[in-house]
Amino acid sequence: MDTEKRILSIAIDGPSGAGKSTLARAAAKELNLLYVDTGAIYRTVALHTLRRGVEPRDAAVEALLPEIGITMEYDPGGLQRMFLNGEDVTTLIRTQEVSMAASAVSAHPAVRAFLLEMQRDLAKRRSVIMDGRDIGTVVLPGADVKIFLTAGSEARARRRWLELQQRGTSKDFEQVLRETRERDANDMNRAAAPLRPAEDAIMLDTTEINFEESLERILAIIRGRTGL
Ligand code: DC
């Protein structure tokens, strides 16, 4: 089989803090695929919602969608830049406030429908590793490889807490843990495309393994299934 000319899609889903984005980015670099961070797209919608003073859980979010123009660009190093109506919001969408708001806006079916084609289009043009919550179940149900990354909530909260500290926006660990659990509950219990593994997803629990080992396992899974 000529795998070189095929457009491949790899779906990586899982709860926040399981290490999806760092692992997916590193795997994409190693395999020369485009890394697509779909959480960043929901975050961009969330930022606009907050700026307009609309409560992210409120159905009024739907009325804001026609105002939202989202574009993405990729730096040569693979960094995904996000633009909201032309403004580069790549850094602005990384706050904890936007994380919580993204989880809330992503529960609206209209928001999910608004973003679906954009995500699928990206995967039509190029081989991608796409991370999110519903990539293997809804966005790319025909993906060549589906991986569901998990880790215990304490381990995930600790990683998020360290990341916030490194960005200079330190927060109380207990609060980060509470917010991690709140986001899990939102993402898993919503009616529209809830976070859950696809039936054919390979499960990988990273609670007890470090970054290097997790990456090795992911690369082995992808290589084993695609011949890359
Ligand atoms: O991956 P992240 O933490 O940047 O995602 C932010 C929120 O966006 C997350 O709490 C749920 C939502 N999301 C989603 O519903 N579906 C996706 N494919 C990606 C993110």
Side-chain angles (χ1 to χ4, degrees):
M1 192 171 51
D2 183 1
T3 48
E4 273 178 20
K5 291 204 181 77
R6 271 182 64 209
I7 293 186
L8 294 172
S9 51
I10 320 289
I12 302 192
D13 289 301
S16 55
K20 292 187 306 292
S21 59
T22 32
L23 287 164
R25 185 178 299 116
K29 196 167 171 213
E30 180 72 28
L31 300 169
N32 198 23
L33 304 172
L34 181 69
Y35 164 58
V36 179
D37 169 3
T38 63
I41 312 176
Y42 287 92
R43 285 170 181 270
T44 303
V45 173
L47 178 67
H48 184 76
T49 304
L50 292 171
R51 282 177 168 177
R52 293 282 269 108
V54 171
E55 159 57 44
R57 256 178 294 267
D58 200 294
V61 171
E62 193 173 336
L64 300 180
L65 296 176
E67 304 172 356
I68 302 179
I70 297 178
T71 44
M72 298 155 81
E73 280 177 18
Y74 291 93
D75 286 357
L79 175 72
Q80 176 179 296
R81 294 210 155 272
M82 298 301 305
F83 295 85
L84 169 58
N85 295 326
E87 175 192 356
D88 186 341
V89 294
T90 312
T91 314
L92 294 176
I93 57 173
R94 293 292 149 196
T95 63
Q96 188 71 350
E97 189 192 12
V98 173
S99 300
M100 300 308 288
S103 182
V105 297
S106 71
H108 298 295
V111 170
R112 307 202 71 82
F114 177 68
L115 301 178
L116 185 60
E117 280 315 307
M118 177 182 189
Q119 296 171 81
R120 286 189 176 154
D121 270 354
L122 286 161
K124 270 187 206 142
R125 289 176 224 196
R126 284 196 53 178
S127 291
V128 294
I129 296 189
M130 192 174 273
D131 88 10
R133 303 294 187 288
D134 62 338
I135 309 305
T137 51
V138 176
V139 180
L140 305 174
D144 298 273
V145 185
K146 299 178 186 177
I147 297 173
F148 195 87
L149 272 186
T150 55
S153 55
E154 297 231 355
R156 291 187 285 113
R158 186 153 301 108
R159 290 173 194 163
R160 176 78 186 142
W161 178 73
L162 280 172
E163 186 189 321
L164 289 169
Q165 260 195 342
Q166 280 159 5
R167 283 211 188 103
T169 50
S170 64
K171 263 200 163 185
D172 176 48
F173 174 73
E174 286 304 320
Q175 187 182 345
V176 178
L177 179 60
R178 262 196 315 279
E179 290 179 351
T180 299
R181 289 181 171 152
E182 190 182 324
R183 213 141 66 96
D184 284 356
N186 283 345
D187 297 350
M188 290 190 290
N189 298 328
R190 67 182 178 218
L195 169 66
R196 62 173 175 80
E199 278 177 17
D200 50 349
I202 298 167
M203 307 295 288
L204 180 61
D205 187 325
T206 67
T207 311
E208 304 286 345
I209 55 176
N210 64 20
F211 172 80
E212 284 74 23
E213 191 171 348
S214 305
L215 179 59
E216 261 178 45
R217 292 205 198 174
I218 288 176
L219 290 172
I221 294 168
I222 298 175
R223 287 187 168 125
R225 305 226 152 193
T226 62
L228 277 172

